[in-house]
Amino acid sequence: MSLTQFDPLTTFPANFRTFEDALTRILNEPRAGRPWSPAVDSYETENELVLKADLPDVKKEDIEVHVENQTLTLKGERRFEKDDSVRGHHRLERAYGTFERSFTVPSSVDSEKVAAEYKNGVLTVRLPKKEAAKPRQVKIEAKE
């Protein structure tokens, strides 16, 4: 039996072209129905927790915000709108379809006063803290 040396670079161009063609096909097909997840930033102030979710091109009526059992859930859908005047897409990189994100809410949040607003494609959810959870100044007494 004779041994031959395997050189992966000799077959690299052909394999790469096949991979590139498959990837191009995937990126150019509409992504309707595929799951996606919006980016969310969260931060805390003295009085509240704030979440900001990027939801460009999502209609306000397609967004739901629920707070239940110490869990905040954001649900919605970005729809792929087909335009008959478009002859073909050159590239489709944005995801379409439904999304759902859930976050654990600390017990220090007053879940009865949660508020949400949607402006310029950004959903802002404000979770106010309970009075007992807010920092307070403690007076120091001097004893002589």
Side-chain angles (χ1 to χ4, degrees):
M1 170 165 76
S2 67
L3 295 176
T4 58
Q5 185 174 0
F6 174 70
D7 184 5
L9 295 178
T10 58
T11 58
F12 175 74
N15 290 340
F16 182 73
R17 175 61 70 195
T18 303
F19 171 74
E20 184 180 38
D21 290 345
L23 184 62
T24 301
R25 232 182 6 258
I26 289 169
L27 292 177
N28 287 329
E29 292 174 357
R31 298 181 73 180
R34 294 185 190 174
W36 70 285
S37 183
V40 176
D41 292 341
S42 63
Y43 60 90
E44 183 175 358
T45 67
E46 187 175 316
N47 298 317
E48 64 187 358
L49 297 172
V50 180
L51 277 82
K52 290 189 172 196
D54 285 343
L55 300 172
D57 227 11
V58 177
K59 295 177 181 161
K60 179 182 158 193
E61 51 273 4
D62 291 334
I63 302 170
E64 296 178 25
V65 178
H66 298 280
V67 180
E68 185 178 357
N69 298 328
Q70 300 300 113
T71 302
L72 170 72
T73 303
L74 309 177
K75 289 183 184 180
E77 181 176 7
R78 179 165 50 203
R79 301 174 194 277
F80 180 78
E81 297 187 16
K82 188 173 179 170
D83 185 354
D84 292 333
S85 67
V86 175
R87 293 184 187 177
H89 294 276
H90 290 278
R91 183 175 300 262
L92 289 171
E93 294 183 352
R94 297 187 311 152
Y96 296 89
T98 60
F99 67 87
E100 183 172 337
R101 298 280 313 259
S102 294
F103 304 90
T104 301
V105 176
S107 58
S108 61
V109 166
D110 188 350
S111 60
E112 297 297 318
K113 296 181 180 174
V114 173
E117 74 172 331
Y118 187 59
K119 182 179 177 185
N120 297 330
V122 177
L123 175 68
T124 303
V125 181
R126 298 185 180 284
L127 303 123
K129 294 180 183 177
K130 294 177 183 174
E131 286 300 318
K134 293 180 182 176
R136 60 184 178 91
Q137 183 70 32
V138 177
K139 184 177 177 183
I140 302 172
E141 294 183 24
K143 291 191 178 188
E144 295 191 27

